[in-house]
Amino acid sequence: MEKTIQELIRKMEEQYNITVLLCCESGSREWGFDNPDSDYDIRGFFYHNDKSMYMTALDSPDYLGQIDYMSKDRIIDFSLWDIKKMFKLLAKSNPSVLEWALSTIVYYEKATEMEMLRKVILKYTCRVPLVYHYLNMSRNNYNRFIKNQMRVKIKKYAYIIRAQVSALWLIQNSQVGQLMKNVPDLINKVKLPEKTRKLFEKVVELKKQQKSELGIINSISDLDQVLSDLQGDLFSQIEKKRNQIIKDYEIDKKTQNKIKFFNKTFFNLIN
């Protein structure tokens, strides 16, 4: 499969006249609960070889900020962002930017450029928006797919667990660059009641054992209650740490010359 992915990258570079900086995994394979039916969620960054694309404030009709591709069998799902888009989202601490930069499954990268880019991403990503991103992801998925449901997709349980343990890790640790992507590892690293930990581990194993991504099971009442309780507890923990969290956020907002620094990095990459 990696040879197929490499070939697709080369074709994209030729077709769109771009240079791909990074192609990595950003799905169940990266999170540690893939099954035989799991697809390849490939994400990353690129820049246009035609530098005129970046020389004006207004985007030209030929400018592409994002390139998407889905294989006919739907096994390979590509979504690549132009670095101009990436920097705009980095300024808002977009979680996808950090997750892709920290991916442990890399299919392709330009090492020197990505070393530079990762340093910038880690320096300018604030954990506060990340925590709320994961909490909102957890709450929305719970209310939509779990609450009051008799039958649920096992992967929805797994996604909610991933969001909650990621939020918990960020509440307990200030270094966003050390955020782990593997959910089983996160479950073992964060502070959780033993009952909760065992339930989470059980769900991850169930997800991995499913022969299909569409695996549906009866709802697990104990787990539903744990997820609901933990969601409330996570928001309570944020309230208790409000002063420190606000301080972190204010420091991030006051970072001097952020845009100037982004521009310098941007032009160092494309030249």
Side-chain angles (χ1 to χ4, degrees):
M1 184 57 72
E2 289 198 20
K3 288 184 178 179
T4 300
I5 293 171
Q6 299 282 342
E7 183 59 30
L8 283 170
I9 293 170
R10 287 192 288 271
K11 287 182 178 178
M12 284 184 181
E13 288 187 318
E14 293 176 4
Q15 179 179 353
Y16 296 105
N17 190 25
I18 61 171
T19 295
V20 173
L21 294 169
L22 173 71
C23 278
C24 66
E25 181 66 38
S26 179
S28 57
R29 295 175 186 277
E30 170 73 0
W31 304 332
F33 47 66
D34 53 302
N35 57 44
D37 195 43
S38 295
D39 58 5
Y40 291 80
D41 295 300
I42 302 170
R43 304 293 182 262
F45 311 120
F46 71 91
Y47 64 80
H48 290 273
N49 295 328
D50 180 359
K51 306 306 187 296
S52 66
M53 296 284 186
Y54 305 113
M55 296 299 112
T56 61
L58 298 176
D59 293 336
S60 71
D62 297 327
Y63 171 76
L64 291 173
Q66 181 170 325
I67 295 175
D68 298 315
Y69 167 82
M70 177 77 76
S71 62
K72 291 182 179 180
D73 58 9
R74 305 184 70 82
I75 295 298
I76 298 177
D77 175 17
F78 264 96
S79 187
L80 306 181
W81 289 353
D82 174 57
I83 56 170
K84 183 176 179 180
K85 175 177 180 177
M86 187 280 294
F87 277 117
K88 287 180 180 178
L89 293 172
L90 174 59
K92 302 175 183 179
S93 291
N94 180 279
S96 294
V97 174
L98 178 71
E99 288 188 358
W100 301 355
L102 295 180
S103 178
T104 59
I105 303 177
V106 176
Y107 299 113
Y108 174 85
E109 74 171 353
K110 284 194 169 296
T112 302
E113 290 86 341
M114 281 309 304
E115 181 180 2
M116 179 197 308
L117 204 51
R118 285 190 179 95
K119 288 179 180 178
V120 176
I121 291 170
L122 293 178
K123 181 175 182 179
Y124 289 103
T125 297
C126 176
R127 69 175 171 141
V128 180
L130 295 180
V131 171
Y132 280 104
H133 162 78
Y134 290 120
L135 287 181
N136 288 328
M137 178 192 295
S138 168
R139 179 171 57 189
N140 293 340
N141 275 276
Y142 181 86
N143 289 337
R144 183 177 179 184
F145 300 109
I146 305 299
K147 190 175 182 179
N148 300 323
Q149 300 295 316
M150 299 298 293
R151 300 275 287 170
V152 300
K153 290 183 178 179
I154 186 66
K155 73 176 184 179
K156 296 302 181 183
Y157 273 139
Y159 289 173
I160 295 170
I161 290 171
R162 173 193 171 242
Q164 289 194 350
V165 294
S166 295
L168 184 57
W169 192 94
L170 286 165
I171 291 171
Q172 296 174 354
N173 301 271
S174 61
Q175 298 300 314
V176 297
Q178 296 175 10
L179 174 63
M180 291 175 289
K181 307 289 290 306
N182 184 279
V183 176
D185 287 345
L186 272 172
I187 291 171
N188 286 317
K189 291 292 183 181
V190 295
K191 298 175 183 177
L192 284 170
E194 193 58 27
K195 176 184 176 182
T196 300
R197 192 184 313 280
K198 288 182 178 179
L199 277 171
F200 284 3
E201 289 174 344
K202 176 183 176 181
V203 170
V204 169
E205 283 305 309
L206 282 173
K207 171 64 175 66
K208 293 168 69 173
Q209 291 169 12
Q210 294 292 311
K211 295 181 180 180
S212 168
E213 285 290 294
L214 302 178
I216 298 176
I217 63 171
N218 292 329
S219 63
I220 305 172
S221 58
D222 286 352
L223 178 61
D224 294 353
Q225 189 62 53
V226 163
L227 292 174
S228 179
D229 291 346
L230 181 55
Q231 182 75 17
D233 183 55
L234 288 169
F235 276 109
S236 296
Q237 289 189 47
I238 290 178
E239 289 300 312
K240 291 178 182 178
K241 293 189 174 184
R242 175 182 290 275
N243 291 337
Q244 183 59 49
I245 287 175
I246 290 176
K247 181 180 178 182
D248 288 350
Y249 193 46
E250 289 302 318
I251 290 173
D252 179 74
K253 288 201 303 183
K254 291 179 180 179
T255 300
Q256 297 297 310
N257 300 318
K258 178 187 286 187
I259 301 302
K260 181 179 179 181
F261 186 73
F262 283 1
N263 286 338
K264 179 181 178 181
T265 305
F266 176 84
F267 285 106
N268 283 341
L269 282 168
I270 66 175
N271 291 317

